[in-house]
Amino acid sequence: MRVWVVAGLMALAGAASAQDGARVVTLAKIRDHRAAGEFIRVENVTIVRFSTSKGGVASDATGSVRFDDIGMPPRTVSHLERYCSGAHSGQDRGECRGALEFTINPRDGDRGNFTISDADFIPEN
């Protein structure tokens, strides 16, 4: 009996954690608005030219997008400003290469644009 209870609890915990995880997509899918409203993760991203006044550029194998710091925690903004402000900083430092997690919110009436919230950058190293 105890074995079945433990097995059941492990199955429930596995299902719950699968629902909380971010869906992995590419920057091309984000540009095509195929991930709107979802909590997503873009892996193997390089961030360059980041500043709070102008934002930055995120790129992966499928393309690049401009972004700003709206919806990012102060810790992430500080990290990006410190390590990813130069034009080639992503190639020079592992701190500018990693995964970007966020929720996409399409802007109403603003063709081709979207905002992000709950954003976080996870460095590669």
Side-chain angles (χ1 to χ4, degrees), residues 6-7 17 21 23 26 44 53 57 68 70 73 77-78 80 82 88 95-96 98 103 108 111 120:
V6 171
S17 66
R23 188 177 88 149
T26 62
N44 300 316
S53 61
V57 176
D68 58 30
I70 296 171
V77 172
S78 175
L80 294 176
R82 181 174 181 185
H88 299 287
E95 293 94 348
C96 295
T103 302
D108 296 326
R111 296 175 66 191
D120 198 13

Side-chain angles (χ1 to χ4, degrees), residues 40-69:
I40 60 169
R41 178 182 179 105
V42 181
E43 296 180 340
N44 300 316
V45 172
T46 301
I47 307 290
V48 294
R49 296 188 294 268
F50 183 85
S51 71
T52 54
S53 61
K54 295 182 181 179
V57 176
S59 59
D60 69 0
T62 65
S64 62
V65 295
R66 291 206 48 81
F67 69 98
D68 58 30
D69 64 345

